[in-house]
Amino acid sequence: MSTVFSVGRSVLSDSRAAGLEAAKAASATCPAPDLILLFCTARHDPKLLHAAIREIAGPRARIIGGFAVGVITHDGLSYDGSEVGLAFMSGPAIQIDAFIQTGLASNELATGELLGRQIASTLAAHPAARPSTSDPNPTSLLLFYDSINLLTGQLKLNMATPLIEGISRRLPNWPAMAGMGMIGDMQLHPTFQFFDDRIEQQSAIALILSGGGLRMDTIIMHGCRPAGRYHTITKTDNATVLEIENRPALDVIAEMLGPEAGLAWDDYSFFVTLGVNKGDPYGPFREEDYANRLCIGVDKERKGLVMFENDLQPGMRIQLMRRSIDMDYVALRTRELLARAAGRKPLFAFYIDCAGRAAAYCGADDEEAHQVRATLPKSIPLLGVYSGVEIARVGKDIQALDWTGVLCLFSEP
């Protein structure tokens, strides 16, 4: 029996009604799921939503997911409202393993190490998860974590970079993977995670799918191009870039943008993006070589840029990036991913899309996710979610990304 995926969506404001509507839609073609990927915005009551989905799906299915800014399916695309999106999977031959590690707010690195130990142990124990000459990539890993920390009453972002480093210490050879930092709205309200019948905060979740010939291919869709030459970071404090080439970072960025941009420091949040080229610094521009970092605030007293991640360090060369989402490029990359599954049966597409790329937030005339929806055949169920941080492989590294889309395609022989 082959693996079956189906998708459901709702925009109802009542959490119970929304859960019932989305779950009933998915159950029409997958009435007895083994796994449910579940996402909703911060406007929903996670307990009421979860209970409604259990009512339809029954007690057996594993439920993994959390909050997202919005939902993308073939039936519709919307965000910052009362969206619910879910995917049901029935796969008798698929091995499903999932792990959760709490305590993210106190130590991302230690949380990653504890989670990585569980992942590595599982991959070592399951023959179906081991690469072979006939199936060099038999395991798929999805990583979800809580981006928002308001435990002290003030906003502090949980960082993906130390979380990834912690996992890598226990898992030096990652399988095919993608992931996201979860936020429930652009106002950065508290975020919840679903793990079976637990509803948690400050947690990181790893979902491992292996066996049955299931394969996940991924592709990165950036939306930025360099706007100038390389500059060297010379001073930082955690996630704050204080100096670029021994000058206050805000002064340097203001010069890069120029007076014609008409931007004050307060405008830099969610606008200024810095790029790190992981490829040949003197070769032709390749979007897939870049990891972009988004500014989320300014430190006026120290004239620093507060970034979404804390991996920009002294000595690193960065470029100011110009946002440029090419709709034809998004469609081209989607077709490229479909081509990788040639000769196989595509089962399900999962799109992790930076919330900042949504048209309402970036000022675009159209939604780039519409190109994904239009290019993917409707025969392939699609679930997309708007995220705070995206995670994928860039070159040889597993990398946290900003202003990026990561499209995943699951297929079987």
Side-chain angles (χ1 to χ4, degrees), residues 311-370:
D311 57 340
L312 296 182
Q313 298 296 321
M316 294 182 69
R317 301 175 73 196
I318 53 93
Q319 291 168 282
L320 181 67
M321 304 297 285
R322 171 174 55 85
R323 295 180 180 180
S324 175
I325 297 179
D326 184 332
M327 300 300 176
D328 292 337
Y329 160 80
V330 173
L332 178 66
R333 296 287 276 177
T334 303
R335 287 193 291 271
E336 183 180 333
L337 181 63
L338 288 168
R340 295 181 189 176
R344 296 174 61 87
K345 179 184 177 182
L347 298 170
F348 172 58
F350 182 52
Y351 189 34
I352 300 169
D353 198 9
C354 176
R357 287 157 63 100
Y361 303 121
C362 71
D365 295 328
D366 193 12
E367 301 287 355
E368 51 83 24
H370 282 324

Side-chain angles (χ1 to χ4, degrees), residues 21 24 26 98 140 168 177 189 191 247 260 298 301 334 370 376 404 406 409:
E21 181 177 59
K24 286 178 181 177
S140 307
S168 297
M177 74 85 60
H189 286 116
T191 301
R247 298 176 55 212
E260 62 275 10
V298 297
E301 183 176 340
T334 303
H370 282 324
L376 281 172
T404 302
V406 180
L409 182 65

Side-chain angles (χ1 to χ4, degrees), residues 50 54 60-65 98 194-199:
H50 181 279
R54 274 285 184 226
R60 184 178 65 87
R62 305 210 67 171
I63 299 179
I64 303 295
F194 300 108
F195 187 82
D196 295 332
D197 290 324
R198 295 166 59 181
I199 298 174

Side-chain angles (χ1 to χ4, degrees), residues 87-259:
F88 282 15
M89 184 201 82
S90 173
I94 306 301
Q95 174 73 38
I96 302 171
D97 295 284
F99 307 101
I100 187 170
Q101 191 63 51
T102 57
L104 190 63
S106 59
N107 193 323
E108 298 102 324
L109 181 67
T111 299
E113 285 202 64
L114 292 169
L115 192 63
R117 182 181 296 143
Q118 296 179 81
I119 298 169
S121 176
T122 293
L123 296 184
H126 290 330
R130 298 172 191 163
S132 65
T133 53
S134 61
D135 193 358
N137 206 15
T139 305
S140 307
L141 169 64
L142 293 175
L143 177 65
F144 307 119
Y145 75 95
D146 190 342
S147 286
I148 307 300
N149 175 4
L150 293 168
L151 297 182
T152 63
Q154 292 185 328
L155 175 64
K156 176 182 178 294
L157 295 176
N158 296 321
M159 298 291 173
T161 299
L163 174 66
I164 293 168
E165 180 183 345
I167 296 174
S168 297
R169 289 182 179 182
R170 302 293 179 177
L171 187 71
N173 298 312
W174 289 70
M177 74 85 60
M180 61 183 281
M182 294 186 284
I183 61 174
D185 56 31
M186 295 298 275
Q187 293 71 47
L188 304 182
H189 286 116
T191 301
F192 290 86
Q193 298 82 57
F194 300 108
F195 187 82
D196 295 332
D197 290 324
R198 295 166 59 181
I199 298 174
E200 296 284 354
Q201 288 183 286
Q202 305 307 313
S203 71
I205 297 171
L207 172 64
I208 302 171
L209 302 176
S210 56
L214 188 70
R215 190 178 84 192
M216 181 179 75
D217 292 294
T218 66
I219 200 163
I220 295 173
M221 303 184 194
H222 287 303
C224 295
R225 298 182 68 87
R229 66 177 181 86
Y230 290 100
H231 297 265
T232 302
I233 294 173
T234 50
K235 186 176 181 181
T236 63
D237 179 13
N238 196 15
T240 302
V241 176
L242 295 173
E243 292 183 2
I244 299 173
E245 293 173 345
N246 299 308
R247 298 176 55 212
L250 291 182
D251 290 346
V252 175
I253 294 298
E255 287 184 8
M256 289 187 200
L257 292 171

